[in-house]
């Protein structure tokens, strides 16, 4: 019996459209790197180190979720990550960041988020957020499950913006 081999890296991309919001109106939500909890399903997100708006900035993000320990008692766990801003370009409306520490099994993760205007014959008609990632496979999770998690988080964000 042959063993299934996982790819060395997972690479994915998802996007969502905001038909009534313009790119310049949406970008500030992403650009405000340490306030992700305002438009994301997090309990907290705050500045840890570095200069706001500059590469090198580190944020801490956490969410409390039901435990899947299988016990009869209802319990919760706090999942957290520390992320470092690698690049931010307000002209191109994009930023990249990496996970530098966490308690959820991520070994290596780099993501890029971009906001694009959507144009038609009459001008700008909404915008699109694109979220791409490159990461090591995550133990206990499949690529499809992880990609679906990223997509559902983006859809949640779009509803909050």
């Amino acid at each position: 019996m042959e063993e299934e081999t996982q790819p060395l890296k997972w690479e994915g991309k998802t996007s969502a459209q905001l038909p009534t919001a313009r790119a310049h109106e949406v970008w500030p939500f992403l650009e405000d790197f340490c306030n992700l909890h305002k438009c994301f399903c997090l309990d907290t997100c705050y500045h840890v180190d570095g200069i706001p708006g500059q590469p090198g900035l580190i944020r801490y993000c956490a969410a409390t979720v039901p435990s899947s320990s299988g016990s009869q008692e209802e319990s919760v766990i706090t999942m957290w990550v520390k992320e470092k801003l690698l690049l931010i370009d307000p002209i191109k409306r994009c930023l990249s960041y990496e996970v530098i520490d966490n308690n959820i099994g991520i070994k290596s993760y780099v993501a890029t988020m971009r906001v694009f205007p959507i144009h038609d014959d009459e001008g700008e008609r909404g915008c699109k957020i694109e979220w791409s990632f490159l990461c090591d496979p995550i133990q206990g999770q499949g690529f499809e499950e992880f990609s679906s998690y990223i997509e559902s988080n983006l859809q949640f964000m779009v509803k909050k913006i």
Side-chain angles (χ1 to χ4, degrees), residues 42-59:
L42 294 170
D43 297 330
T44 189
C45 179
Y46 59 82
H47 174 228
V48 173
D49 194 22
I51 300 168
Q54 298 294 314
L57 176 67
I58 297 172
R59 70 182 174 195

PDB file of all heavy atoms in Angstrom, residues 42-59:
ATOM      1  N   LEU A  42     -13.188  37.652  15.637  1.00  0.00           N
ATOM      2  CA  LEU A  42     -12.172  37.560  16.686  1.00  0.00           C
ATOM      3  C   LEU A  42     -12.689  38.224  17.949  1.00  0.00           C
ATOM      4  O   LEU A  42     -13.482  39.157  17.890  1.00  0.00           O
ATOM      5  CB  LEU A  42     -10.898  38.302  16.254  1.00  0.00           C
ATOM      6  CG  LEU A  42     -10.111  37.747  15.082  1.00  0.00           C
ATOM      7  CD1 LEU A  42      -9.039  38.739  14.657  1.00  0.00           C
ATOM      8  CD2 LEU A  42      -9.490  36.417  15.438  1.00  0.00           C
ATOM      9  N   ASP A  43     -12.188  37.757  19.088  1.00  0.00           N
ATOM     10  CA  ASP A  43     -12.505  38.418  20.346  1.00  0.00           C
ATOM     11  C   ASP A  43     -11.615  39.635  20.552  1.00  0.00           C
ATOM     12  O   ASP A  43     -12.044  40.629  21.129  1.00  0.00           O
ATOM     13  CB  ASP A  43     -12.312  37.463  21.531  1.00  0.00           C
ATOM     14  CG  ASP A  43     -13.252  36.285  21.475  1.00  0.00           C
ATOM     15  OD1 ASP A  43     -14.368  36.433  20.938  1.00  0.00           O
ATOM     16  OD2 ASP A  43     -12.864  35.194  21.954  1.00  0.00           O
ATOM     17  N   THR A  44     -10.377  39.529  20.086  1.00  0.00           N
ATOM     18  CA  THR A  44      -9.432  40.621  20.282  1.00  0.00           C
ATOM     19  C   THR A  44      -8.369  40.619  19.194  1.00  0.00           C
ATOM     20  O   THR A  44      -8.068  39.581  18.606  1.00  0.00           O
ATOM     21  CB  THR A  44      -8.765  40.538  21.679  1.00  0.00           C
ATOM     22  OG1 THR A  44      -8.022  41.735  21.911  1.00  0.00           O
ATOM     23  CG2 THR A  44      -7.837  39.345  21.791  1.00  0.00           C
ATOM     24  N   CYS A  45      -7.834  41.781  18.937  1.00  0.00           N
ATOM     25  CA  CYS A  45      -6.693  41.958  18.041  1.00  0.00           C
ATOM     26  C   CYS A  45      -6.014  43.247  18.485  1.00  0.00           C
ATOM     27  O   CYS A  45      -6.668  44.291  18.555  1.00  0.00           O
ATOM     28  CB  CYS A  45      -7.163  42.069  16.587  1.00  0.00           C
ATOM     29  SG  CYS A  45      -5.812  42.328  15.406  1.00  0.00           S
ATOM     30  N   TYR A  46      -4.734  43.152  18.819  1.00  0.00           N
ATOM     31  CA  TYR A  46      -4.071  44.365  19.294  1.00  0.00           C
ATOM     32  C   TYR A  46      -2.586  44.385  18.923  1.00  0.00           C
ATOM     33  O   TYR A  46      -1.985  43.364  18.607  1.00  0.00           O
ATOM     34  CB  TYR A  46      -4.266  44.568  20.800  1.00  0.00           C
ATOM     35  CG  TYR A  46      -3.745  43.449  21.678  1.00  0.00           C
ATOM     36  CD1 TYR A  46      -2.397  43.377  22.028  1.00  0.00           C
ATOM     37  CD2 TYR A  46      -4.603  42.485  22.187  1.00  0.00           C
ATOM     38  CE1 TYR A  46      -1.929  42.360  22.842  1.00  0.00           C
ATOM     39  CE2 TYR A  46      -4.140  41.471  23.004  1.00  0.00           C
ATOM     40  CZ  TYR A  46      -2.799  41.421  23.324  1.00  0.00           C
ATOM     41  OH  TYR A  46      -2.330  40.416  24.126  1.00  0.00           O
ATOM     42  N   HIS A  47      -2.031  45.594  18.996  1.00  0.00           N
ATOM     43  CA  HIS A  47      -0.641  45.892  18.676  1.00  0.00           C
ATOM     44  C   HIS A  47       0.273  45.298  19.753  1.00  0.00           C
ATOM     45  O   HIS A  47       0.042  45.500  20.935  1.00  0.00           O
ATOM     46  CB  HIS A  47      -0.511  47.421  18.614  1.00  0.00           C
ATOM     47  CG  HIS A  47       0.879  47.913  18.424  1.00  0.00           C
ATOM     48  ND1 HIS A  47       1.394  48.912  19.192  1.00  0.00           N
ATOM     49  CD2 HIS A  47       1.849  47.581  17.557  1.00  0.00           C
ATOM     50  CE1 HIS A  47       2.640  49.174  18.810  1.00  0.00           C
ATOM     51  NE2 HIS A  47       2.932  48.372  17.814  1.00  0.00           N
ATOM     52  N   VAL A  48       1.293  44.561  19.315  1.00  0.00           N
ATOM     53  CA  VAL A  48       2.266  43.976  20.243  1.00  0.00           C
ATOM     54  C   VAL A  48       3.595  44.718  20.148  1.00  0.00           C
ATOM     55  O   VAL A  48       4.201  45.060  21.160  1.00  0.00           O
ATOM     56  CB  VAL A  48       2.483  42.472  19.955  1.00  0.00           C
ATOM     57  CG1 VAL A  48       3.607  41.898  20.798  1.00  0.00           C
ATOM     58  CG2 VAL A  48       1.201  41.698  20.178  1.00  0.00           C
ATOM     59  N   ASP A  49       4.056  44.970  18.920  1.00  0.00           N
ATOM     60  CA  ASP A  49       5.365  45.573  18.732  1.00  0.00           C
ATOM     61  C   ASP A  49       5.431  46.219  17.355  1.00  0.00           C
ATOM     62  O   ASP A  49       4.679  45.846  16.457  1.00  0.00           O
ATOM     63  CB  ASP A  49       6.455  44.492  18.851  1.00  0.00           C
ATOM     64  CG  ASP A  49       7.858  45.066  19.002  1.00  0.00           C
ATOM     65  OD1 ASP A  49       7.996  46.236  19.423  1.00  0.00           O
ATOM     66  OD2 ASP A  49       8.816  44.347  18.686  1.00  0.00           O
ATOM     67  N   GLY A  50       6.356  47.158  17.189  1.00  0.00           N
ATOM     68  CA  GLY A  50       6.568  47.782  15.897  1.00  0.00           C
ATOM     69  C   GLY A  50       5.806  49.085  15.739  1.00  0.00           C
ATOM     70  O   GLY A  50       5.072  49.514  16.623  1.00  0.00           O
ATOM     71  N   ILE A  51       5.994  49.698  14.582  1.00  0.00           N
ATOM     72  CA  ILE A  51       5.392  50.992  14.278  1.00  0.00           C
ATOM     73  C   ILE A  51       4.103  50.769  13.484  1.00  0.00           C
ATOM     74  O   ILE A  51       4.128  50.111  12.439  1.00  0.00           O
ATOM     75  CB  ILE A  51       6.375  51.868  13.470  1.00  0.00           C
ATOM     76  CG1 ILE A  51       7.662  52.103  14.264  1.00  0.00           C
ATOM     77  CG2 ILE A  51       5.732  53.199  13.077  1.00  0.00           C
ATOM     78  CD1 ILE A  51       8.791  52.701  13.458  1.00  0.00           C
ATOM     79  N   PRO A  52       2.976  51.296  13.963  1.00  0.00           N
ATOM     80  CA  PRO A  52       1.711  51.131  13.236  1.00  0.00           C
ATOM     81  C   PRO A  52       1.837  51.555  11.769  1.00  0.00           C
ATOM     82  O   PRO A  52       2.429  52.585  11.449  1.00  0.00           O
ATOM     83  CB  PRO A  52       0.733  52.037  13.998  1.00  0.00           C
ATOM     84  CG  PRO A  52       1.276  52.048  15.399  1.00  0.00           C
ATOM     85  CD  PRO A  52       2.783  52.045  15.220  1.00  0.00           C
ATOM     86  N   GLY A  53       1.302  50.721  10.892  1.00  0.00           N
ATOM     87  CA  GLY A  53       1.308  51.008   9.469  1.00  0.00           C
ATOM     88  C   GLY A  53       2.610  50.722   8.753  1.00  0.00           C
ATOM     89  O   GLY A  53       2.735  50.980   7.554  1.00  0.00           O
ATOM     90  N   GLN A  54       3.585  50.148   9.463  1.00  0.00           N
ATOM     91  CA  GLN A  54       4.889  49.882   8.871  1.00  0.00           C
ATOM     92  C   GLN A  54       5.217  48.388   8.911  1.00  0.00           C
ATOM     93  O   GLN A  54       4.849  47.707   9.868  1.00  0.00           O
ATOM     94  CB  GLN A  54       5.991  50.639   9.633  1.00  0.00           C
ATOM     95  CG  GLN A  54       5.844  52.143   9.599  1.00  0.00           C
ATOM     96  CD  GLN A  54       6.022  52.704   8.196  1.00  0.00           C
ATOM     97  OE1 GLN A  54       6.951  52.343   7.482  1.00  0.00           O
ATOM     98  NE2 GLN A  54       5.094  53.558   7.793  1.00  0.00           N
ATOM     99  N   PRO A  55       5.931  47.890   7.884  1.00  0.00           N
ATOM    100  CA  PRO A  55       6.388  46.489   7.942  1.00  0.00           C
ATOM    101  C   PRO A  55       7.154  46.242   9.240  1.00  0.00           C
ATOM    102  O   PRO A  55       7.875  47.118   9.726  1.00  0.00           O
ATOM    103  CB  PRO A  55       7.290  46.365   6.718  1.00  0.00           C
ATOM    104  CG  PRO A  55       6.727  47.364   5.754  1.00  0.00           C
ATOM    105  CD  PRO A  55       6.307  48.536   6.629  1.00  0.00           C
ATOM    106  N   GLY A  56       6.959  45.073   9.808  1.00  0.00           N
ATOM    107  CA  GLY A  56       7.575  44.734  11.095  1.00  0.00           C
ATOM    108  C   GLY A  56       6.586  44.812  12.242  1.00  0.00           C
ATOM    109  O   GLY A  56       6.836  44.269  13.321  1.00  0.00           O
ATOM    110  N   LEU A  57       5.460  45.491  12.024  1.00  0.00           N
ATOM    111  CA  LEU A  57       4.415  45.589  13.044  1.00  0.00           C
ATOM    112  C   LEU A  57       3.919  44.186  13.393  1.00  0.00           C
ATOM    113  O   LEU A  57       3.701  43.361  12.514  1.00  0.00           O
ATOM    114  CB  LEU A  57       3.253  46.431  12.505  1.00  0.00           C
ATOM    115  CG  LEU A  57       2.024  46.565  13.391  1.00  0.00           C
ATOM    116  CD1 LEU A  57       2.349  47.358  14.653  1.00  0.00           C
ATOM    117  CD2 LEU A  57       0.904  47.241  12.617  1.00  0.00           C
ATOM    118  N   ILE A  58       3.747  43.906  14.676  1.00  0.00           N
ATOM    119  CA  ILE A  58       3.266  42.601  15.125  1.00  0.00           C
ATOM    120  C   ILE A  58       1.943  42.785  15.858  1.00  0.00           C
ATOM    121  O   ILE A  58       1.812  43.668  16.710  1.00  0.00           O
ATOM    122  CB  ILE A  58       4.292  41.904  16.047  1.00  0.00           C
ATOM    123  CG1 ILE A  58       5.572  41.630  15.261  1.00  0.00           C
ATOM    124  CG2 ILE A  58       3.714  40.607  16.628  1.00  0.00           C
ATOM    125  CD1 ILE A  58       6.730  41.116  16.087  1.00  0.00           C
ATOM    126  N   ARG A  59       0.958  41.950  15.494  1.00  0.00           N
ATOM    127  CA  ARG A  59      -0.335  41.967  16.162  1.00  0.00           C
ATOM    128  C   ARG A  59      -0.598  40.604  16.801  1.00  0.00           C
ATOM    129  O   ARG A  59      -0.067  39.591  16.373  1.00  0.00           O
ATOM    130  CB  ARG A  59      -1.467  42.318  15.195  1.00  0.00           C
ATOM    131  CG  ARG A  59      -1.777  41.230  14.179  1.00  0.00           C
ATOM    132  CD  ARG A  59      -2.887  41.663  13.224  1.00  0.00           C
ATOM    133  NE  ARG A  59      -3.096  40.691  12.156  1.00  0.00           N
ATOM    134  CZ  ARG A  59      -3.782  40.924  11.057  1.00  0.00           C
ATOM    135  NH1 ARG A  59      -4.345  42.117  10.876  1.00  0.00           N
ATOM    136  NH2 ARG A  59      -3.935  39.992  10.144  1.00  0.00           N
TER     137      ARG A  59
END
